[in-house]
Amino acid sequence: MADGASPAAEAAELGRRGWNAEGGGPGGPGPVVDSTNLAWFDRASRVIPGGVDSPVRSFASVGGTPFTAVRGEGPWVYDVEGARYLDLVQSYGAVLLGHAHPHVVEAVTRAVSAGSSFGMPTPGEVLLAEAMCERVPGCEQVRFVSSGTEAAMSAVRLARGATGRARVVKFDGCYHGHSDVLLAGGGSGVAMLGLPGSAGVPAAAVADTLVVPYNRVPELGDDVACVVVEPVAANMNLVPPAPGFLEGLRAACDASGALLVFDEVITGFRLGPGGATARSGVTPDLWCFGKVIGGGMPIGALGGPRDLMAVLAPLGPVYQAGTLSGNPVATAAGLAVLELVSARHYEELEARAGSFAVSLAAAVTDGGLQAATGSVGPLVGLFVGPPGPPVELPSDYEGARVLATNGVYARLFHAMLRRGVALAPGPYEVLFPGFAHGDRELARAVQVAADAAAEVASGLG
Ligand SMILES: *Cc1c(COP(=O)(O)O)cnc(C)c1O
């Protein structure tokens, strides 16, 4: 990227390179499979439980049948029928640069041609670890794993091993993956299905998990190994930390000897190069990363200061391992992303997402529904309600749940999907406008939201 061009133009260019904003892109809609979404979903349901490999993808909470994606390009996704959607899901935040960004495709292609896995140290994991530690203040080392779930699970084991304590404190509505210990009170798909946790998790597995309300600093006993938190909650829709909340957690942990774990699987390298850590100025003891750092490939990472990370095997007594950990293809993809974006690109993206959030709320209310949106960095939360009293932004899971269960989101979701804009099929997810979404695409989403809201409001009126 040439220095000297305006940051705005450059940031837009980041996402545009390689795809055509008018749609189609090079070669048109691509490898459209000659079949229907319904046929594929029927087939999927025969060999895959519920037809999906992650419950958030099901349409359980909005009704209907998921479309089957065959191709993505920047902010667009195409289904097997050749329909094109403006995609605000963006693999739940894993693809910061949009789908099939040429820079990422090239890095992945180069890496995979050199061998997809060795079970030996590779330069790629070193380069990505260096890039991450350079960007996140206080994070001196990372250990790669293959998912955010593993990162959070390993962070808990490390915290327990390092402190010799058992208890884990987490916040209602925060999601840290699907490990037994952390699933209790999870947001996202668990919340969407109305599950308190999961069957198959014995009481003993969660006996040491304490779930407390977000945005209130809990009292910590001397048996607490760690406090795990999403520093910006993005799995109960978007709930930012109240002023003083993260600072309060830091102080409470320091007083009790518990470790503070920031789960930055969504916020890391999305809110800015230094994630929620740099943004809040609060430094945790351990970090969990995932999503953005794999550029759309499976990855996760656990991070911390050198002395604490030395508790991990082979240096220390806490065992943790993985055949595909630090995978050269995934680390190449992640590095390609981190290297391409700089602080000012993030600032530009944040400004664009912020004005999108404001316009989106205005569009939905102009259409006749009630709505409130919030944004932190490029993360956008959208809460909707029926015609009537205004929607207030919630500060915890209880507030988020009341809005998520009013039934309006499912209608708006379908009305927008019919008009070619894909939101996540559940009310607990955030919107992920990224570097691929230019002003033109976001304006289109806003227009569609207004039309969709009008349709929904007239049906409810
Ligand atoms: C997605 C997510 C996870 C789990 O990551 P996976 O790669 O899906 O296992 C953990 N924590 C947070 C905050 C997440 O958003």
Side-chain angles (χ1 to χ4, degrees):
M1 215 162 304
D3 268 320
S6 92
E10 277 187 13
E13 180 61 20
L14 275 179
R16 280 169 197 289
R17 226 177 277 155
W19 58 271
N20 171 355
E22 287 311 317
V32 173
V33 179
D34 184 22
S35 187
T36 63
N37 289 310
L38 201 55
W40 273 103
F41 192 65
D42 279 347
R43 254 173 98 169
S45 301
R46 257 174 250 135
V47 287
I48 296 171
V52 291
D53 279 316
S54 189
V56 287
R57 298 175 199 170
S58 90
F59 275 24
S61 84
V62 293
T65 306
F67 63 86
T68 296
V70 280
R71 194 168 76 91
E73 199 170 48
W76 306 102
V77 163
Y78 296 85
D79 70 16
V80 289
E81 297 175 13
R84 188 181 70 151
Y85 307 89
L86 180 58
D87 175 34
L88 286 161
V89 182
Q90 297 285 297
S91 191
Y92 292 87
V95 288
L96 182 62
L97 299 178
H99 298 292
H101 191 283
H103 191 63
V104 176
V105 171
E106 195 202 314
V108 166
T109 308
R110 211 182 318 117
V112 78
S113 325
S116 50
S117 184
F118 300 100
M120 297 168 190
T122 61
E125 63 197 342
V126 180
L127 297 176
L128 182 57
E130 286 174 353
M132 291 168 65
C133 293
E134 256 165 42
R135 286 163 175 76
V136 180
C139 184
E140 295 174 339
Q141 291 196 330
V142 296
R143 165 66 60 82
F144 289 110
V145 291
S146 296
S147 68
T149 295
E150 279 180 79
M153 187 181 88
S154 303
V156 167
R157 185 178 301 156
L158 173 48
R160 285 172 160 172
T163 59
R165 300 169 173 189
R167 191 163 284 250
V168 174
V169 174
K170 79 169 288 286
F171 296 90
D172 206 11
C174 283
Y175 181 66
H176 307 293
H178 58 94
S179 72
D180 282 2
V181 169
L182 293 170
L183 198 53
S188 187
V190 211
M192 179 181 91
L193 298 175
L195 302 174
S198 172
V201 178
V206 287
D208 289 313
T209 304
L210 191 66
V211 183
V212 296
Y214 196 74
N215 270 331
R216 266 170 276 173
V217 178
E219 295 211 1
L220 303 179
D222 61 8
D223 56 347
V224 176
C226 62
V227 174
V228 186
V229 68
E230 284 184 75
V232 174
N235 282 288
M236 47 171 144
N237 205 322
L238 187 68
V239 176
F245 175 57
L246 298 175
E247 290 81 355
L249 292 182
R250 181 68 276 174
C253 285
D254 288 343
S256 86
L259 301 181
L260 179 60
V261 182
F262 274 6
D263 182 345
E264 294 228 42
V265 170
I266 282 186
T267 54
F269 312 97
R270 177 168 288 273
L271 301 191
T277 303
R279 199 180 183 88
S280 66
V282 175
T283 307
D285 300 292
L286 292 170
W287 287 263
C288 308
F289 299 109
K291 297 193 171 115
V292 169
I293 60 164
M297 302 292 292
I299 205 168
L302 163 69
R306 219 162 266 125
D307 57 342
L308 205 45
M309 295 297 279
V311 177
L312 287 175
L315 299 177
V318 172
Y319 195 72
Q320 185 284 323
T323 301
L324 296 178
S325 294
N327 178 267
V329 184
T331 52
L335 187 65
V337 174
L338 297 200
E339 280 185 336
L340 200 63
V341 292
S342 69
R344 61 201 179 102
H345 296 128
Y346 281 108
E347 284 162 24
E348 164 62 23
L349 173 59
E350 174 168 349
R352 204 158 38 174
S355 61
F356 168 60
V358 171
S359 308
L360 186 62
V364 176
T365 44
D366 286 352
L369 295 174
Q370 291 296 333
T373 56
S375 65
V376 179
L379 294 173
V380 173
L382 165 66
F383 294 92
V384 291
V391 166
E392 308 279 354
L393 288 174
S395 62
D396 61 13
Y397 177 61
E398 193 42 41
R401 193 185 57 77
V402 169
L403 291 168
T405 50
N406 65 23
V408 177
Y409 183 85
R411 295 168 194 250
L412 186 67
F413 166 85
H414 279 294
M416 288 186 71
L417 193 64
R418 278 197 296 278
R419 291 169 171 81
V421 175
L423 306 178
Y428 291 105
E429 311 301 331
V430 295
L431 279 56
F432 287 101
F435 285 106
H437 298 81
D439 288 331
R440 193 157 32 149
E441 289 75 45
L442 294 178
R444 178 178 175 144
V446 166
Q447 182 56 54
V448 161
D451 296 345
E455 179 194 310
V456 174
S458 74
L460 289 172

